Amino acid sequence: MYLLTGIVVIVASFGVYVEKQIRASATTILEDRLKPVPLISHRFDYYGTTIQDNFSSSIVNYEQLLANRGEIAKVKKETEEGWVAYKATYLTPDEAKLVDHAQKAMDEADALVDLLLEKAVTDRPYVDSILKTGILNEKITPVLDDTNALLELQTAVGKEETVKMIELLTKFSNFMIGVLAMAFVLGGSLLYSQFKKEPQPVRRTTRKAPAKKAPAKKPVARKPATRK
């Protein structure tokens, strides 16, 4: 019974440990790797599609650009909120460095875009001269590179966490196989010991026969004495 109790305690303890580790890995995969992917992707699309489509280095349609100012501001606000939400998740040391580098590039690109949108109303030749230098693309390219690298990093870290879960489940499976084997051996030994015992002969209690009483002696009649 002590051995069986010990096995149950060990299995329960290891099971609780495995459950906690798997729950932690699954949570970080969901919250820190899967959910951030669309947030980073939308930020990438803002610079790679929204900004680049509206600021062509060759031809700028200023009427269309000014008409799209509201949409540009809306997409910028939405993607900024997503970016802030992503930065609030758990970041690995390498990921945190990459995020800081991307943030600096975003700040520089945003400052230039705001200036170009302002000058598109008052000084269009200035906007044309800035775009011809290609400086806007130079500001945007690091952002695109960093956000793309962050997307790849989410996949890499998520893969590592998944491998950890699989390895832990494999260890637990092997552990349970060993426990089951031990339980079969222990159960077999108990059954064997039970069948091996020889039945002890039943002792019969014998009653002693009651001792026979000696027959009572008959009194001898005495003859009366005769006088001479």
Side-chain angles (χ1 to χ4, degrees):
M1 290 301 297
Y2 287 118
L3 181 58
L4 289 175
T5 302
I7 292 175
V8 171
V9 171
I10 292 173
V11 171
S13 301
F14 192 34
V16 171
Y17 168 77
V18 171
E19 187 271 339
K20 288 183 178 179
Q21 294 298 316
I22 292 179
R23 183 181 294 275
S25 294
T27 300
T28 191
I29 290 174
L30 176 62
E31 298 295 334
D32 303 325
R33 303 303 153 207
L34 294 180
K35 287 185 178 181
V37 169
L39 304 179
I40 301 171
S41 179
H42 293 161
R43 194 62 170 162
F44 178 93
D45 292 339
Y46 168 70
Y47 292 97
T49 302
T50 304
I51 298 302
Q52 287 189 335
D53 285 353
N54 283 278
F55 292 95
S56 173
S57 59
S58 57
I59 300 175
V60 177
N61 186 335
Y62 287 99
E63 285 69 22
Q64 187 67 35
L65 173 62
L66 296 178
N68 292 340
R69 290 182 66 178
E71 182 65 21
I72 294 173
K74 177 183 177 182
V75 175
K76 178 184 178 183
K77 181 180 179 182
E78 291 175 351
T79 58
E80 279 181 341
E81 292 175 351
W83 178 251
V84 172
Y86 160 63
K87 292 195 298 182
T89 63
Y90 169 73
L91 304 177
T92 65
D94 292 338
E95 187 178 10
K97 293 179 181 179
L98 197 55
V99 167
D100 290 340
H101 187 270
Q103 185 63 65
K104 293 178 181 178
M106 290 177 185
D107 293 339
E108 294 180 3
D110 290 342
L112 182 57
V113 169
D114 291 341
L115 177 62
L116 293 176
L117 287 174
E118 179 183 350
K119 293 296 183 179
V121 180
T122 59
D123 193 354
R124 294 181 180 181
Y126 175 81
V127 175
D128 290 336
S129 63
I130 292 296
L131 293 178
K132 288 178 181 179
T133 63
I135 189 173
L136 180 60
N137 288 332
E138 293 179 3
K139 298 291 185 182
I140 292 178
T141 299
V143 178
L144 300 180
D145 292 340
D146 290 343
T147 50
N148 188 56
L150 287 171
L151 289 172
E152 294 179 354
L153 190 144
Q154 307 311 307
T155 302
V157 176
K159 181 180 178 180
E160 292 176 0
E161 291 293 334
T162 304
V163 170
K164 286 168 57 178
M165 284 197 299
I166 294 175
E167 290 178 349
L168 185 57
L169 287 172
T170 301
K171 291 179 181 179
F172 185 71
S173 177
N174 294 334
F175 172 76
M176 290 303 299
I177 291 174
V179 170
L180 289 175
M182 185 183 298
F184 278 119
V185 171
L186 181 60
S189 62
L190 291 175
L191 292 175
Y192 178 74
S193 62
Q194 290 293 326
F195 283 113
K196 188 178 179 181
K197 290 181 179 180
E198 295 181 357
Q200 297 181 354
V202 179
R203 295 181 179 178
R204 295 181 180 180
T205 57
T206 56
R207 295 181 180 179
K208 294 182 178 180
K212 294 183 179 179
K213 294 182 179 180
K217 294 181 179 181
K218 294 181 179 181
V220 179
R222 293 183 180 180
K223 292 181 180 181
T226 57
R227 294 180 181 180
K228 291 181 179 180

